[in-house]
């Protein structure tokens, strides 16, 4: 098995997963500040080895960034400074166990040690007697020391220690993530060539596929001869550590543009006026013109009814869309971008769906799904089942996975299902199930790729992409959730009106990205009958004391003007005068004469007069 050639394919897949970005600002994008301090001797000498030279330090940070790109990461290391500290001369020569002493001394004398709270602090010693480098793990410790005399170099050495800083451990110590298998113990005395061969022999004896072998043999966190990459779940673990423990070392990025909510009404409700019909009326509120602010429309919607006649309006479709989050989705193990903190003990299942576009079906020669899962899952392409692992057929939201397993990674050949692909919009949907309600973890991370004739590999759904998801605590997903035309965003809402009136609706859109992830829009819809309501002088849909006051203000102060004089003529005398206000008060409080029609519903004037009715707000004229 030529593992090193096979590695090139995997590195290309990781890089493609990075380049297939869907929006201007990616949720896992980060720029990490790096502050390098060369430790001077008591006599003021620079470290004597390779890392005493600023050009070497700059070069290795550049190599680190190249390795991150090659791994599919959206991180960049920003070398903010290379400075010299003579106050730290007590650590010009040090042992690995003195890393805690170095950090304590640096924090006690921040000025002398040039300590920065907002950067990764890396101290270059002349010699670390028993290590090429040493790093403190989160959550509390936060310093790196590099041995200037060590052969530890290039992207491997420095990025290896930065990996520790962001909570990565060695493959030979278990790795804690599922897309690197366990490494063999380090040979003593150490020889990287012997370490390579020992691991290859072991992995081949286990029948491990090339991908799993390469994830260790070429891993920056291993001690093999040619480490070059970090794996997708290692990148997720680093990002979780950044968010949970190391956020202060991240530079502020250009703020995500906030989304913009927009509501469109159908032609029958043009201008916000909808004609009432006996038996009720229905319309569709459309929020699909809303945008995420960064050139896309990937957001979720929530519709709400703010005001109007009680019980007069109801939603016929879900008023809220599915939640959105970056893959992997799950909890436990710190290897999920979207943490379901409420899942354990409450629900077994999560449903995920993601749309993608494909222009030329004829050139698709192969299709593959790279999936890491714990415990069981089923995947569907445009409604057709394409994969199932550790999950019985016909599983519902309360069906456990067939068995509890540790996280497993498989690269599944879906080429046999190319016939399920569609030109244009497609949809991959996945349901993931836990084996037990009180399981310590659950995870699903998926990458969908295609081979395109004449073009090579194309990532259709990249690593750490944003998916829509619904928790099993809400029951099973709606019918059609796996179909290409399914709308998990609830961008359209069907509304039924059971009585006339003025109704105010709100649309809240959420793109899931801070700092400004939401926006709202409102629309008023007046469901109106023909004509007007007599006695309703202020045209608000009700006859009350405010109408008598409105009439008096009009007659004696001229401070208000009626939209409909006919409605102000409460006694149908053909004139608007003081008696109209008196008759309304008598009707309301003294059992006076009833108000003539049209009352209490909208209608036409049964008698002819010269009064006008230019517009009654709740009735269509």
């Amino acid at each position: 098995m030529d593992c090193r050639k096979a590695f090139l394919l995997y590195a290309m897949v990781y890089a493609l997963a990075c380049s297939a970005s869907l929006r201007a600002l990616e949720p896992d994008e980060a720029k990490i500040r790096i502050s390098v301090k060369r430790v001077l001797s008591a006599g003021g000498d620079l470290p004597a080895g390779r890392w005493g030279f600023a050009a070497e330090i700059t070069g290795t940070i550049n190599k680190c960034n190249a390795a991150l790109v090659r791994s599919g990461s959206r991180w960049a290391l920003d070398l903010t400074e290379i400075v010299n500290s003579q106050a730290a001369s007590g650590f010009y020569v040090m042992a690995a166990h003195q890393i805690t002493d170095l950090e304590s001394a640096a924090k006690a004398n921040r000025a002398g040690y040039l300590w920065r709270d907002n950067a990764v602090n890396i101290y270059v010693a002349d010699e670390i007697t028993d290590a090429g480098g040493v790093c403190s793990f989160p959550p509390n410790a936060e310093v790196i020391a590099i041995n200037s005399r060590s052969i530890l170099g290039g992207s491997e050495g420095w990025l290896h220690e930065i990996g520790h800083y962001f909570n990565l451990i060695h493959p030979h110590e278990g790795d804690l993530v599922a897309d690197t298998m366990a490494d063999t113990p380090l040979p003593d005395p150490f020889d990287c060539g012997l370490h390579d061969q020992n691991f290859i022999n072991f992995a081949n004896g286990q029948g491990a596929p090339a991908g799993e072998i390469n994830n260790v043999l070429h891993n920056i966190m291993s001690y093999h001869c040619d480490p070059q990459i970090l794996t997708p779940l290692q990148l997720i673990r680093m990002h979780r550590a950044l968010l949970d423990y190391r956020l202060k070392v991240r530079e502020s990025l250009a703020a995500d543009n906030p989304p913009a909510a927009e509501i469109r009404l159908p032609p029958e409700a043009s201008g916000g006026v909808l004609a009432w019909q006996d038996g009720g009326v229905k319309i569709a509120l459309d929020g699909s013109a809303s945008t995420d602010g960064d050139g896309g429309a990937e957001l979720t919607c929530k519709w709400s009814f703010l005001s109007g006649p009680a019980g007069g309006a109801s939603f016929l479709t879900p008023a809220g869309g599915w939640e959105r989050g970056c893959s992997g989705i799950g909890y436990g193990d710190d290897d999920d971008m979207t943490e379901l903190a409420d899942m354990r003990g409450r629900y077994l299942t999560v449903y995920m769906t993601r749309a993608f576009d494909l222009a030329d079906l004829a050139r698709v020669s192969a299709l593959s799904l790279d999936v890491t899962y714990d415990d069981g899952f089923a995947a569907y392409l445009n409604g057709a089942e394409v994969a199932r692992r550790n999950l019985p057929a016909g599983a519902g939201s309360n069906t456990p996975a067939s068995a509890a397993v540790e996280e497993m990674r498989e690269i599944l050949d879906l080429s046999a299902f190319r016939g399920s692909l569609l030109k244009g919009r497609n949809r991959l949907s996945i349901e993931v199930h836990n084996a037990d309600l009180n399981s310590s973890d659950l995870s699903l991370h998926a990458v969908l790729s295609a081979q395109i004739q004449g073009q090579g590999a194309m990532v259709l759904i990249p690593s750490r992409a944003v998916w829509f998801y619904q928790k099993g605590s809400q029951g099973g997903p709606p019918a059609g959730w796996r179909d290409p035309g399914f709308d998990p965003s609830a961008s359209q809402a069907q509304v039924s009106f059971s009585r006339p009136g003025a109704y105010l609706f709100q649309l809240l859109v959420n793109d899931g990205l801070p700092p400004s992830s939401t926006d709202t829009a409102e629309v008023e819809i007046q469901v109106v009958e023909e004509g007007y309501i007599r006695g309703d002088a202020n045209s608000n849909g009700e006859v009350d004391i405010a109408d008598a006051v409105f009439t008096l203000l009009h007659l004696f102060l001229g401070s208000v003007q009626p939209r409909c004089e006919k409605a102000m003529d409460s006694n149908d005398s053909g004139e608007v005068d003081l008696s109209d206000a008196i008759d309304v008060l008598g009707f309301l409080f003294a059992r006076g004469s009833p108000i003539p029609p049209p009352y209490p519903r909208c209608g036409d004037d049964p008698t002819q007069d010269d009064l006008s009715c230019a517009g009654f707000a709740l009735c269509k004229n």
Side-chain angles (χ1 to χ4, degrees):
M1 179 186 298
D2 189 344
C3 296
R4 298 187 186 277
K5 286 184 178 178
F7 159 73
L8 296 175
L9 172 62
Y10 279 79
M12 180 179 69
V13 170
Y14 295 152
L16 282 169
C18 171
S19 64
S21 60
L22 299 178
R23 39 182 309 118
L25 178 67
E26 291 296 336
D28 60 339
E29 184 179 349
K31 183 176 286 188
I32 307 299
R33 286 184 289 261
I34 304 293
S35 172
V36 176
K37 272 74 78 160
R38 294 179 294 192
V39 178
L40 302 181
S41 70
D45 297 324
L46 285 167
R50 176 180 181 182
W51 307 119
F53 298 94
E56 290 282 359
I57 294 172
T58 301
T60 200
I61 294 297
N62 291 338
K63 291 179 181 178
C64 288
N65 281 324
L68 286 169
V69 171
R70 193 163 52 242
S71 300
S73 173
R74 285 181 274 263
W75 281 25
L77 306 181
D78 182 16
L79 181 58
T80 59
E81 60 184 0
I82 302 173
V83 292
N84 303 324
S85 172
Q86 192 162 19
S89 62
F91 299 93
Y92 188 71
V93 177
M94 61 179 287
H97 73 270
Q98 291 180 278
I99 189 71
T100 54
D101 298 331
L102 171 60
E103 181 171 345
S104 297
K107 289 183 175 178
N109 182 8
R110 293 170 184 262
Y113 280 71
L114 306 172
W115 181 269
R116 289 186 58 180
D117 286 325
N118 67 345
V120 181
N121 291 280
I122 300 178
Y123 288 85
V124 177
D126 178 71
E127 183 178 5
I128 301 176
T129 58
D130 52 353
V134 60
C135 177
S136 302
F137 280 82
N140 299 316
E142 47 182 349
V143 69
I144 295 173
I146 294 291
N147 181 353
S148 184
R149 295 179 181 268
S150 172
I151 61 172
L152 184 78
S155 63
E156 307 86 38
W158 287 59
L159 193 53
H160 179 105
E161 300 304 333
I162 291 169
H164 287 324
Y165 183 89
F166 289 103
N167 213 25
L168 296 186
I169 65 174
H170 304 130
H172 67 265
E173 293 176 329
D175 184 58
L176 300 183
V177 294
D179 54 357
T180 63
M181 61 186 294
D183 199 359
T184 50
L186 303 182
D188 187 16
F190 179 75
D191 177 86
C192 70
L194 178 60
H195 189 33
D196 279 7
Q197 194 57 55
N198 286 345
F199 174 69
I200 291 172
N201 292 341
F202 164 75
N204 288 339
Q206 298 291 311
E212 292 188 20
I213 295 175
N214 289 321
N215 283 342
V216 175
L217 193 63
H218 301 285
N219 199 280
I220 288 166
M221 302 311 298
S222 76
Y223 287 97
H224 291 281
C225 294
D226 188 27
Q228 296 184 46
I229 61 166
L230 294 165
T231 64
L233 292 192
Q234 283 178 316
L235 296 175
I236 289 175
R237 188 174 182 84
M238 290 176 70
H239 201 78
R240 289 300 317 170
L242 172 67
L243 298 179
D244 293 341
Y245 309 120
R246 309 294 204 196
L247 200 54
K248 62 185 180 181
V249 305
R250 183 180 69 177
E251 290 187 17
S252 297
L253 298 171
D256 171 57
N257 292 315
E262 181 178 338
I263 302 173
R264 292 180 176 177
L265 296 176
E268 62 268 26
S270 177
V273 178
L274 180 65
W276 169 255
Q277 299 176 13
D278 290 339
V281 63
K282 304 173 185 178
I283 64 165
L285 302 177
D286 185 0
S288 62
S290 303
T291 68
D292 64 10
D294 294 296
E298 290 291 319
L299 39 75
T300 193
C301 301
K302 181 178 179 181
W303 298 91
S304 56
F305 170 51
L306 298 183
S307 65
S314 59
F315 290 102
L316 301 178
T317 54
W322 289 26
E323 296 181 68
R324 297 180 73 239
C326 295
S327 174
I329 295 176
Y331 71 94
D333 298 334
D334 290 333
D335 58 1
D336 298 296
M337 288 287 287
T338 299
E339 189 84 8
L340 302 177
D342 64 338
M343 185 172 187
R344 188 173 186 179
R346 292 192 59 209
Y347 53 95
L348 282 169
T349 308
V350 180
Y351 300 92
M352 304 167 52
T353 186
R354 165 87 183 194
F356 63 94
D357 293 321
L358 195 57
D360 191 350
L361 298 179
R363 295 172 57 205
V364 178
S365 60
L367 191 66
S368 65
L369 179 66
D370 183 342
V371 58
T372 301
Y373 61 94
D374 176 359
D375 291 306
F377 79 95
Y380 309 88
L381 178 60
N382 293 327
E385 182 177 318
V386 295
R388 182 176 295 266
R389 294 291 187 272
N390 199 29
L391 183 67
S397 61
N398 293 319
T399 303
S402 301
V405 299
E406 293 300 319
E407 278 186 326
M408 299 182 65
R409 183 188 185 204
E410 295 186 55
I411 299 178
L412 306 175
D413 184 358
L414 303 187
S415 299
F417 300 97
R418 285 176 293 164
S420 297
L421 291 169
L422 302 172
K423 183 176 181 180
R425 179 54 51 97
N426 292 261
R427 182 169 298 281
L428 179 66
S429 302
I430 301 176
E431 55 180 295
V432 55
H433 294 240
N434 234 338
D436 185 85
L437 200 60
N438 292 305
S439 172
S440 62
D441 57 3
L442 173 136
S443 189
L444 196 292
H445 178 267
V447 175
L448 183 66
S449 303
Q451 284 289 330
I452 309 297
Q453 294 174 1
Q455 180 177 335
M458 172 185 288
V459 177
L460 303 175
I461 299 179
S463 174
R464 304 181 304 284
V466 180
W467 291 64
F468 285 96
Y469 69 93
Q470 177 178 290
K471 300 174 181 178
S473 55
Q474 301 178 35
W481 73 281
R482 299 173 293 202
D483 297 340
F486 175 64
D487 176 20
S489 68
S491 61
Q492 294 191 346
Q494 296 286 332
V495 182
S496 174
F497 299 95
S498 60
R499 55 178 293 191
Y503 298 85
L504 183 63
F505 294 92
Q506 182 187 79
L507 169 63
L508 182 147
V509 297
N510 189 337
D511 68 0
L513 294 176
S516 300
S517 60
T518 63
D519 187 41
T520 59
E522 295 179 3
V523 66
E524 184 180 65
I525 299 176
Q526 297 180 4
V527 182
V528 301
E529 296 179 280
E530 297 289 340
Y532 65 96
I533 299 174
R534 192 179 298 281
D536 185 10
N538 59 10
S539 303
N540 71 347
E542 297 179 323
V543 175
D544 53 24
I545 192 173
D547 295 298
V549 173
F550 189 94
T551 300
L552 294 172
L553 292 173
H554 170 67
L555 289 172
F556 299 105
L557 296 179
S559 58
V560 295
Q561 299 298 323
R563 298 178 181 175
C564 182
E565 291 179 336
K566 288 180 176 291
M568 189 175 284
D569 181 16
S570 64
N571 53 21
D572 196 16
S573 66
E575 297 180 351
V576 174
D577 53 26
L578 180 61
S579 66
D580 293 303
I582 294 172
D583 285 347
V584 167
L585 295 172
F587 169 73
L588 292 172
F589 302 109
R591 296 183 180 181
S593 301
I595 296 177
Y599 176 86
R601 302 285 294 273
C602 292
D604 294 327
D605 190 351
T607 58
Q608 297 296 318
D609 55 47
D610 294 328
L611 297 177
S612 66
C613 190
F616 192 87
L618 298 180
C619 300
K620 184 178 180 182
N621 291 279

